[in-house]
Structures are given as C-alpha cells and as structure tokens.
C-alpha cells in the first residue's frame, strides 16, 4: 500500500506542529503548511532526520488563489488522505460594544474562510482515497459556547463548528469522514500572546494558577487518535479540556 498523506495547516507551531510530529510517527507522509516558511522548513528538517517523510509548503489559508495553487501542487502526490484544518487564532478579548470590526474580519477570514478554502480545494482528492478521506477541523470550546470578551473569536469558531456539522451532513454516503476536535484551555507558545498582541502579562494571566492546562501534544494525541480509527469510525465531535477546566467559565486556579 502506498504511503498515506496528511496535510496540516498552521503547522509552524503549537497544535499544528505537534500534530505534524505525531502523524509522521503514525506513518503518514506529512505536508506542513503555514505562512512562516522558516518554521516549517526547520520542522521538516527535524522530521526528515528522524526518517519520516515530510514536506513544507508556504501557505496563507486566507488567500484562495494560493490555496488553489497548493491543491495543484498536491497533484504530484499519489493520494491526499487527511486534511487537518488547524490554522486559526484569536485577536483581542474586547467586549462586543467596543471590539474592532477589523479584528472580527481577520478572525472570520482565518478561522472560517481558511477552513472553507482548504477543504473545498482538497475535497476532490480526499474523495479519491482507497480507504476514504478525512477532513478534520480543530475548532475550540469557543465554537460551542460563549464568554464575555470572546465575541469575535467565539463567532468565528462557531463558524468553523458549523462547517464541520454541515459538511458531515452533505458528505453522508461518501467515503469521507468529518471530524471536529474542540480543545478548551491549551497552553501554547503563541495563542494567548497573539490574542493579547504580544502582552506577556495578559497572556500569562490566562493560565495563572491552572496546574496543568492542556499542551499542544495532548491535543495532537487526540487528533491522531481520531484520525487513526478505522475508516468507518467517525469521531464527530470531541471536546477536550484540562481536568482543571469544567466549562469555559469554570476553571480551578490554585493560589
Ligand atoms: C481556545 C479556548 O477559552 O480561549 O480556543 O476560547 S478559549
């Protein structure tokens, strides 16, 4: 059997990078995409040195022309079996009353239209796999419930959640699974820092007193587990939080 291929967006750091490592270890040829080519080049070098098959491709998922060119590039591979839509993020934590519409637009672009672009462009290939294809959306618990200051990010992640739900209905009967993984509090190098525009104190405060937020590796394990189930098993939606977080609101913080 030929090597199965997995495409991971947002693979330059955090959950995306950890997922690339774990899917490679699970036997996939991994195609890493991100805007920051130097980061994915370094990761590809690391994976290649370990004997895995890995390729880096610079991609901004909000740029449809670039995404279509990426899909054409994938024609050189014999199959495209798994798409992990991981690229995304939050900008700001402002209330609806004062939030900057430009931030909302940016979040909609990457978290919703980014998923739409790559999924649409790769779907013809994902439909062709011998064992069927997998579209996985890394959404968030913000895609399932809101919180004050979450508005723009929550709206966008609800959009990503709706793409997964709708696509699963529309593809029913076809050999393509649609999986949604919704992580809660995950401490990565960049998520909170990006959200708070580089303010280290605000970013650190998100995790203050939380003994063990999830790590990128924890979420990547969940993604890898869902992807490696037999083709007839579709993990529709999996919510994963740290033990210290019982809901978006209820987080245990040690003093
Ligand atoms: C991240 C979870 O709680 O910051 O997707 O919205 S939260």
């Amino acid at each position: 059997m030929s090597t199965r291929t997995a495409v991971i967006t947002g693979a330059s750091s955090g959950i995306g990078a950890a997922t690339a490592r774990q899917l490679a270890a699970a036997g996939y040829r991994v195609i890493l995409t991100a805007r920051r080519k130097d980061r994915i080049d370094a990761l590809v070098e690391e994976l290649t040195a370990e004997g895995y098959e890995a390729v880096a491709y610079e991609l901004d998922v909000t740029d449809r022309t670039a995404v279509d060119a990426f899909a054409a590039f994938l024609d050189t591979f014999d199959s495209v079996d798994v798409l992990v839509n991981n690229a995304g993020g939050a900008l700001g934590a402002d209330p609806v009353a004062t939030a900057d519409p430009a931030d909302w637009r940016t979040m909609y672009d990457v978290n919703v239209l980014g998923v739409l672009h790559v999924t649409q462009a790769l779907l013809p290939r994902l439909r062709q796999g011998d064992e069927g294809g997998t579209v996985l959306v890394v959404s968030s618990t913000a895609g399932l419930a809101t919180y004050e200051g979450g508005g723009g990010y929550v709206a966008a992640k609800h959009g990503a959640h709706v793409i997964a739900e709708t696509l699963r209905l529309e593809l029913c009967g076809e050999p393509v699974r649609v999986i949604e993984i919704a992580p809660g509090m995950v401490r990565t190098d960049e998520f909170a820092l990006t959200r708070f525009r580089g303010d280290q104190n605000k970013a650190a405060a998100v995790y203050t007193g939380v003994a063990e937020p999830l790590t990128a590796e924890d979420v990547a394990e969940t993604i890898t587990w869902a992807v490696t189930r037999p083709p007839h098993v579709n993990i529709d939606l999996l919510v994963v939080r740290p033990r210290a977080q019982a809901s978006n609101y209820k987080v245990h913080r040690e003093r």
Side-chain angles (χ1 to χ4, degrees), residues 134-167:
T134 299
V135 176
L136 188 145
V137 176
V138 181
S139 62
S140 167
T141 47
L144 307 172
T146 195
Y147 53 90
E148 297 96 323
Y153 179 63
V154 167
K157 283 298 190 183
H158 273 66
H161 168 66
V162 166
I163 290 177
E165 296 262 280
T166 309
L167 187 64

PDB file of all heavy atoms in Angstrom, residues 134-167:
ATOM      1  N   THR A 134     -10.305  12.011   5.147  1.00  0.00           N
ATOM      2  CA  THR A 134     -10.695  12.585   6.436  1.00  0.00           C
ATOM      3  C   THR A 134     -10.488  14.088   6.409  1.00  0.00           C
ATOM      4  O   THR A 134      -9.385  14.557   6.102  1.00  0.00           O
ATOM      5  CB  THR A 134      -9.833  11.990   7.576  1.00  0.00           C
ATOM      6  OG1 THR A 134     -10.035  10.582   7.637  1.00  0.00           O
ATOM      7  CG2 THR A 134     -10.206  12.619   8.915  1.00  0.00           C
ATOM      8  N   VAL A 135     -11.552  14.820   6.705  1.00  0.00           N
ATOM      9  CA  VAL A 135     -11.432  16.259   6.942  1.00  0.00           C
ATOM     10  C   VAL A 135     -11.544  16.456   8.440  1.00  0.00           C
ATOM     11  O   VAL A 135     -12.542  16.045   9.045  1.00  0.00           O
ATOM     12  CB  VAL A 135     -12.581  17.053   6.260  1.00  0.00           C
ATOM     13  CG1 VAL A 135     -12.470  18.536   6.604  1.00  0.00           C
ATOM     14  CG2 VAL A 135     -12.575  16.841   4.755  1.00  0.00           C
ATOM     15  N   LEU A 136     -10.534  17.030   9.043  1.00  0.00           N
ATOM     16  CA  LEU A 136     -10.595  17.294  10.484  1.00  0.00           C
ATOM     17  C   LEU A 136     -10.531  18.803  10.704  1.00  0.00           C
ATOM     18  O   LEU A 136      -9.715  19.493  10.091  1.00  0.00           O
ATOM     19  CB  LEU A 136      -9.445  16.585  11.196  1.00  0.00           C
ATOM     20  CG  LEU A 136      -9.495  16.612  12.725  1.00  0.00           C
ATOM     21  CD1 LEU A 136      -8.956  15.310  13.319  1.00  0.00           C
ATOM     22  CD2 LEU A 136      -8.756  17.798  13.330  1.00  0.00           C
ATOM     23  N   VAL A 137     -11.420  19.286  11.546  1.00  0.00           N
ATOM     24  CA  VAL A 137     -11.443  20.707  11.897  1.00  0.00           C
ATOM     25  C   VAL A 137     -11.053  20.845  13.364  1.00  0.00           C
ATOM     26  O   VAL A 137     -11.691  20.245  14.242  1.00  0.00           O
ATOM     27  CB  VAL A 137     -12.847  21.318  11.671  1.00  0.00           C
ATOM     28  CG1 VAL A 137     -12.883  22.773  12.120  1.00  0.00           C
ATOM     29  CG2 VAL A 137     -13.266  21.198  10.206  1.00  0.00           C
ATOM     30  N   VAL A 138      -9.984  21.591  13.619  1.00  0.00           N
ATOM     31  CA  VAL A 138      -9.650  21.916  15.008  1.00  0.00           C
ATOM     32  C   VAL A 138     -10.436  23.183  15.329  1.00  0.00           C
ATOM     33  O   VAL A 138     -10.088  24.270  14.883  1.00  0.00           O
ATOM     34  CB  VAL A 138      -8.128  22.156  15.190  1.00  0.00           C
ATOM     35  CG1 VAL A 138      -7.825  22.458  16.654  1.00  0.00           C
ATOM     36  CG2 VAL A 138      -7.328  20.950  14.705  1.00  0.00           C
ATOM     37  N   SER A 139     -11.542  22.996  16.046  1.00  0.00           N
ATOM     38  CA  SER A 139     -12.347  24.178  16.385  1.00  0.00           C
ATOM     39  C   SER A 139     -11.906  24.646  17.768  1.00  0.00           C
ATOM     40  O   SER A 139     -10.734  24.957  17.978  1.00  0.00           O
ATOM     41  CB  SER A 139     -13.835  23.869  16.303  1.00  0.00           C
ATOM     42  OG  SER A 139     -14.199  22.866  17.230  1.00  0.00           O
ATOM     43  N   SER A 140     -12.814  24.649  18.703  1.00  0.00           N
ATOM     44  CA  SER A 140     -12.496  25.131  20.052  1.00  0.00           C
ATOM     45  C   SER A 140     -13.759  24.972  20.881  1.00  0.00           C
ATOM     46  O   SER A 140     -14.863  24.937  20.335  1.00  0.00           O
ATOM     47  CB  SER A 140     -12.124  26.619  19.996  1.00  0.00           C
ATOM     48  OG  SER A 140     -12.096  27.195  21.284  1.00  0.00           O
ATOM     49  N   THR A 141     -13.593  24.957  22.198  1.00  0.00           N
ATOM     50  CA  THR A 141     -14.789  25.039  23.034  1.00  0.00           C
ATOM     51  C   THR A 141     -15.472  26.392  22.819  1.00  0.00           C
ATOM     52  O   THR A 141     -16.664  26.537  23.099  1.00  0.00           O
ATOM     53  CB  THR A 141     -14.426  24.857  24.521  1.00  0.00           C
ATOM     54  OG1 THR A 141     -13.297  25.692  24.825  1.00  0.00           O
ATOM     55  CG2 THR A 141     -14.077  23.419  24.845  1.00  0.00           C
ATOM     56  N   ALA A 142     -14.723  27.366  22.260  1.00  0.00           N
ATOM     57  CA  ALA A 142     -15.320  28.648  21.888  1.00  0.00           C
ATOM     58  C   ALA A 142     -16.281  28.494  20.706  1.00  0.00           C
ATOM     59  O   ALA A 142     -17.038  29.403  20.392  1.00  0.00           O
ATOM     60  CB  ALA A 142     -14.230  29.661  21.542  1.00  0.00           C
ATOM     61  N   GLY A 143     -16.244  27.341  20.062  1.00  0.00           N
ATOM     62  CA  GLY A 143     -17.182  27.074  18.971  1.00  0.00           C
ATOM     63  C   GLY A 143     -18.498  26.506  19.468  1.00  0.00           C
ATOM     64  O   GLY A 143     -19.425  26.272  18.688  1.00  0.00           O
ATOM     65  N   LEU A 144     -18.568  26.286  20.786  1.00  0.00           N
ATOM     66  CA  LEU A 144     -19.755  25.630  21.346  1.00  0.00           C
ATOM     67  C   LEU A 144     -20.474  26.491  22.386  1.00  0.00           C
ATOM     68  O   LEU A 144     -21.648  26.277  22.662  1.00  0.00           O
ATOM     69  CB  LEU A 144     -19.344  24.292  21.986  1.00  0.00           C
ATOM     70  CG  LEU A 144     -18.542  23.349  21.061  1.00  0.00           C
ATOM     71  CD1 LEU A 144     -18.010  22.154  21.829  1.00  0.00           C
ATOM     72  CD2 LEU A 144     -19.409  22.887  19.891  1.00  0.00           C
ATOM     73  N   ALA A 145     -19.780  27.424  22.976  1.00  0.00           N
ATOM     74  CA  ALA A 145     -20.388  28.290  23.994  1.00  0.00           C
ATOM     75  C   ALA A 145     -19.589  29.579  24.078  1.00  0.00           C
ATOM     76  O   ALA A 145     -18.393  29.594  23.793  1.00  0.00           O
ATOM     77  CB  ALA A 145     -20.377  27.594  25.358  1.00  0.00           C
ATOM     78  N   THR A 146     -20.264  30.650  24.521  1.00  0.00           N
ATOM     79  CA  THR A 146     -19.574  31.945  24.523  1.00  0.00           C
ATOM     80  C   THR A 146     -19.137  32.377  25.916  1.00  0.00           C
ATOM     81  O   THR A 146     -19.430  31.717  26.919  1.00  0.00           O
ATOM     82  CB  THR A 146     -20.455  33.027  23.861  1.00  0.00           C
ATOM     83  OG1 THR A 146     -19.651  34.166  23.570  1.00  0.00           O
ATOM     84  CG2 THR A 146     -21.624  33.413  24.737  1.00  0.00           C
ATOM     85  N   TYR A 147     -18.394  33.432  25.957  1.00  0.00           N
ATOM     86  CA  TYR A 147     -17.971  34.048  27.222  1.00  0.00           C
ATOM     87  C   TYR A 147     -17.707  35.535  26.966  1.00  0.00           C
ATOM     88  O   TYR A 147     -17.434  35.930  25.820  1.00  0.00           O
ATOM     89  CB  TYR A 147     -16.724  33.347  27.791  1.00  0.00           C
ATOM     90  CG  TYR A 147     -15.553  33.234  26.831  1.00  0.00           C
ATOM     91  CD1 TYR A 147     -14.576  34.219  26.760  1.00  0.00           C
ATOM     92  CD2 TYR A 147     -15.437  32.129  25.984  1.00  0.00           C
ATOM     93  CE1 TYR A 147     -13.499  34.112  25.878  1.00  0.00           C
ATOM     94  CE2 TYR A 147     -14.367  32.016  25.087  1.00  0.00           C
ATOM     95  CZ  TYR A 147     -13.408  33.010  25.049  1.00  0.00           C
ATOM     96  OH  TYR A 147     -12.360  32.902  24.167  1.00  0.00           O
ATOM     97  N   GLU A 148     -17.786  36.336  28.011  1.00  0.00           N
ATOM     98  CA  GLU A 148     -17.573  37.772  27.847  1.00  0.00           C
ATOM     99  C   GLU A 148     -16.182  38.044  27.268  1.00  0.00           C
ATOM    100  O   GLU A 148     -15.209  37.450  27.727  1.00  0.00           O
ATOM    101  CB  GLU A 148     -17.681  38.509  29.188  1.00  0.00           C
ATOM    102  CG  GLU A 148     -19.031  38.427  29.851  1.00  0.00           C
ATOM    103  CD  GLU A 148     -19.100  37.312  30.884  1.00  0.00           C
ATOM    104  OE1 GLU A 148     -18.507  36.232  30.656  1.00  0.00           O
ATOM    105  OE2 GLU A 148     -19.748  37.537  31.926  1.00  0.00           O
ATOM    106  N   GLY A 149     -16.126  38.913  26.313  1.00  0.00           N
ATOM    107  CA  GLY A 149     -14.840  39.256  25.704  1.00  0.00           C
ATOM    108  C   GLY A 149     -14.445  38.281  24.608  1.00  0.00           C
ATOM    109  O   GLY A 149     -13.452  38.476  23.925  1.00  0.00           O
ATOM    110  N   GLY A 150     -15.241  37.229  24.457  1.00  0.00           N
ATOM    111  CA  GLY A 150     -14.899  36.219  23.447  1.00  0.00           C
ATOM    112  C   GLY A 150     -15.481  36.531  22.090  1.00  0.00           C
ATOM    113  O   GLY A 150     -15.040  35.991  21.080  1.00  0.00           O
ATOM    114  N   GLY A 151     -16.487  37.387  22.061  1.00  0.00           N
ATOM    115  CA  GLY A 151     -17.333  37.653  20.890  1.00  0.00           C
ATOM    116  C   GLY A 151     -16.800  37.289  19.516  1.00  0.00           C
ATOM    117  O   GLY A 151     -17.317  36.386  18.863  1.00  0.00           O
ATOM    118  N   GLY A 152     -15.789  37.993  19.058  1.00  0.00           N
ATOM    119  CA  GLY A 152     -15.314  37.792  17.681  1.00  0.00           C
ATOM    120  C   GLY A 152     -14.730  36.410  17.461  1.00  0.00           C
ATOM    121  O   GLY A 152     -14.973  35.771  16.430  1.00  0.00           O
ATOM    122  N   TYR A 153     -13.969  35.931  18.439  1.00  0.00           N
ATOM    123  CA  TYR A 153     -13.350  34.603  18.313  1.00  0.00           C
ATOM    124  C   TYR A 153     -14.415  33.512  18.416  1.00  0.00           C
ATOM    125  O   TYR A 153     -14.421  32.542  17.646  1.00  0.00           O
ATOM    126  CB  TYR A 153     -12.295  34.440  19.412  1.00  0.00           C
ATOM    127  CG  TYR A 153     -11.587  33.107  19.413  1.00  0.00           C
ATOM    128  CD1 TYR A 153     -10.798  32.711  18.340  1.00  0.00           C
ATOM    129  CD2 TYR A 153     -11.705  32.237  20.498  1.00  0.00           C
ATOM    130  CE1 TYR A 153     -10.148  31.489  18.347  1.00  0.00           C
ATOM    131  CE2 TYR A 153     -11.057  31.012  20.511  1.00  0.00           C
ATOM    132  CZ  TYR A 153     -10.284  30.638  19.438  1.00  0.00           C
ATOM    133  OH  TYR A 153      -9.639  29.422  19.440  1.00  0.00           O
ATOM    134  N   VAL A 154     -15.335  33.717  19.367  1.00  0.00           N
ATOM    135  CA  VAL A 154     -16.422  32.750  19.558  1.00  0.00           C
ATOM    136  C   VAL A 154     -17.299  32.677  18.304  1.00  0.00           C
ATOM    137  O   VAL A 154     -17.658  31.588  17.847  1.00  0.00           O
ATOM    138  CB  VAL A 154     -17.259  33.126  20.809  1.00  0.00           C
ATOM    139  CG1 VAL A 154     -18.563  32.346  20.853  1.00  0.00           C
ATOM    140  CG2 VAL A 154     -16.446  32.897  22.082  1.00  0.00           C
ATOM    141  N   ALA A 155     -17.590  33.817  17.731  1.00  0.00           N
ATOM    142  CA  ALA A 155     -18.399  33.832  16.500  1.00  0.00           C
ATOM    143  C   ALA A 155     -17.674  33.070  15.388  1.00  0.00           C
ATOM    144  O   ALA A 155     -18.274  32.258  14.677  1.00  0.00           O
ATOM    145  CB  ALA A 155     -18.677  35.271  16.065  1.00  0.00           C
ATOM    146  N   ALA A 156     -16.389  33.327  15.255  1.00  0.00           N
ATOM    147  CA  ALA A 156     -15.626  32.663  14.199  1.00  0.00           C
ATOM    148  C   ALA A 156     -15.536  31.156  14.444  1.00  0.00           C
ATOM    149  O   ALA A 156     -15.724  30.352  13.523  1.00  0.00           O
ATOM    150  CB  ALA A 156     -14.228  33.276  14.105  1.00  0.00           C
ATOM    151  N   LYS A 157     -15.278  30.753  15.684  1.00  0.00           N
ATOM    152  CA  LYS A 157     -15.165  29.313  15.955  1.00  0.00           C
ATOM    153  C   LYS A 157     -16.525  28.618  15.845  1.00  0.00           C
ATOM    154  O   LYS A 157     -16.592  27.441  15.472  1.00  0.00           O
ATOM    155  CB  LYS A 157     -14.527  29.075  17.325  1.00  0.00           C
ATOM    156  CG  LYS A 157     -13.007  29.282  17.315  1.00  0.00           C
ATOM    157  CD  LYS A 157     -12.301  28.284  16.364  1.00  0.00           C
ATOM    158  CE  LYS A 157     -10.787  28.297  16.508  1.00  0.00           C
ATOM    159  NZ  LYS A 157     -10.120  27.391  15.547  1.00  0.00           N
ATOM    160  N   HIS A 158     -17.608  29.339  16.140  1.00  0.00           N
ATOM    161  CA  HIS A 158     -18.924  28.760  15.846  1.00  0.00           C
ATOM    162  C   HIS A 158     -19.041  28.506  14.339  1.00  0.00           C
ATOM    163  O   HIS A 158     -19.638  27.516  13.918  1.00  0.00           O
ATOM    164  CB  HIS A 158     -20.052  29.682  16.325  1.00  0.00           C
ATOM    165  CG  HIS A 158     -20.456  29.460  17.761  1.00  0.00           C
ATOM    166  ND1 HIS A 158     -19.631  29.725  18.830  1.00  0.00           N
ATOM    167  CD2 HIS A 158     -21.600  28.978  18.305  1.00  0.00           C
ATOM    168  CE1 HIS A 158     -20.246  29.432  19.957  1.00  0.00           C
ATOM    169  NE2 HIS A 158     -21.454  28.962  19.676  1.00  0.00           N
ATOM    170  N   GLY A 159     -18.471  29.404  13.546  1.00  0.00           N
ATOM    171  CA  GLY A 159     -18.484  29.222  12.088  1.00  0.00           C
ATOM    172  C   GLY A 159     -17.737  27.958  11.681  1.00  0.00           C
ATOM    173  O   GLY A 159     -18.206  27.178  10.839  1.00  0.00           O
ATOM    174  N   ALA A 160     -16.577  27.729  12.304  1.00  0.00           N
ATOM    175  CA  ALA A 160     -15.798  26.527  11.988  1.00  0.00           C
ATOM    176  C   ALA A 160     -16.586  25.277  12.392  1.00  0.00           C
ATOM    177  O   ALA A 160     -16.613  24.271  11.662  1.00  0.00           O
ATOM    178  CB  ALA A 160     -14.455  26.580  12.722  1.00  0.00           C
ATOM    179  N   HIS A 161     -17.237  25.349  13.557  1.00  0.00           N
ATOM    180  CA  HIS A 161     -18.062  24.233  14.031  1.00  0.00           C
ATOM    181  C   HIS A 161     -19.191  23.938  13.035  1.00  0.00           C
ATOM    182  O   HIS A 161     -19.461  22.776  12.705  1.00  0.00           O
ATOM    183  CB  HIS A 161     -18.625  24.601  15.411  1.00  0.00           C
ATOM    184  CG  HIS A 161     -19.709  23.704  15.907  1.00  0.00           C
ATOM    185  ND1 HIS A 161     -19.486  22.377  16.220  1.00  0.00           N
ATOM    186  CD2 HIS A 161     -21.030  23.931  16.142  1.00  0.00           C
ATOM    187  CE1 HIS A 161     -20.634  21.835  16.629  1.00  0.00           C
ATOM    188  NE2 HIS A 161     -21.576  22.750  16.585  1.00  0.00           N
ATOM    189  N   VAL A 162     -19.806  24.987  12.535  1.00  0.00           N
ATOM    190  CA  VAL A 162     -20.926  24.812  11.590  1.00  0.00           C
ATOM    191  C   VAL A 162     -20.432  24.225  10.255  1.00  0.00           C
ATOM    192  O   VAL A 162     -21.125  23.413   9.640  1.00  0.00           O
ATOM    193  CB  VAL A 162     -21.676  26.153  11.399  1.00  0.00           C
ATOM    194  CG1 VAL A 162     -22.598  26.103  10.182  1.00  0.00           C
ATOM    195  CG2 VAL A 162     -22.476  26.478  12.654  1.00  0.00           C
ATOM    196  N   ILE A 163     -19.234  24.593   9.837  1.00  0.00           N
ATOM    197  CA  ILE A 163     -18.690  23.983   8.614  1.00  0.00           C
ATOM    198  C   ILE A 163     -18.599  22.469   8.817  1.00  0.00           C
ATOM    199  O   ILE A 163     -19.016  21.680   7.962  1.00  0.00           O
ATOM    200  CB  ILE A 163     -17.293  24.546   8.266  1.00  0.00           C
ATOM    201  CG1 ILE A 163     -17.401  25.996   7.804  1.00  0.00           C
ATOM    202  CG2 ILE A 163     -16.641  23.691   7.163  1.00  0.00           C
ATOM    203  CD1 ILE A 163     -16.044  26.651   7.521  1.00  0.00           C
ATOM    204  N   ALA A 164     -18.040  22.048   9.961  1.00  0.00           N
ATOM    205  CA  ALA A 164     -17.879  20.608  10.208  1.00  0.00           C
ATOM    206  C   ALA A 164     -19.239  19.912  10.246  1.00  0.00           C
ATOM    207  O   ALA A 164     -19.432  18.861   9.611  1.00  0.00           O
ATOM    208  CB  ALA A 164     -17.115  20.390  11.521  1.00  0.00           C
ATOM    209  N   GLU A 165     -20.195  20.491  10.971  1.00  0.00           N
ATOM    210  CA  GLU A 165     -21.518  19.868  11.098  1.00  0.00           C
ATOM    211  C   GLU A 165     -22.214  19.763   9.736  1.00  0.00           C
ATOM    212  O   GLU A 165     -22.823  18.740   9.423  1.00  0.00           O
ATOM    213  CB  GLU A 165     -22.403  20.715  12.026  1.00  0.00           C
ATOM    214  CG  GLU A 165     -21.906  20.784  13.448  1.00  0.00           C
ATOM    215  CD  GLU A 165     -22.607  19.801  14.351  1.00  0.00           C
ATOM    216  OE1 GLU A 165     -23.727  20.111  14.779  1.00  0.00           O
ATOM    217  OE2 GLU A 165     -22.034  18.727  14.626  1.00  0.00           O
ATOM    218  N   THR A 166     -22.140  20.840   8.962  1.00  0.00           N
ATOM    219  CA  THR A 166     -22.849  20.883   7.681  1.00  0.00           C
ATOM    220  C   THR A 166     -22.199  19.941   6.672  1.00  0.00           C
ATOM    221  O   THR A 166     -22.881  19.186   5.967  1.00  0.00           O
ATOM    222  CB  THR A 166     -22.860  22.325   7.126  1.00  0.00           C
ATOM    223  OG1 THR A 166     -23.321  23.200   8.150  1.00  0.00           O
ATOM    224  CG2 THR A 166     -23.759  22.443   5.909  1.00  0.00           C
ATOM    225  N   LEU A 167     -20.863  19.984   6.633  1.00  0.00           N
ATOM    226  CA  LEU A 167     -20.146  19.135   5.677  1.00  0.00           C
ATOM    227  C   LEU A 167     -20.410  17.656   5.962  1.00  0.00           C
ATOM    228  O   LEU A 167     -20.556  16.851   5.037  1.00  0.00           O
ATOM    229  CB  LEU A 167     -18.641  19.447   5.766  1.00  0.00           C
ATOM    230  CG  LEU A 167     -17.752  18.786   4.720  1.00  0.00           C
ATOM    231  CD1 LEU A 167     -18.089  19.279   3.312  1.00  0.00           C
ATOM    232  CD2 LEU A 167     -16.277  19.056   5.023  1.00  0.00           C
TER     233      LEU A 167
END
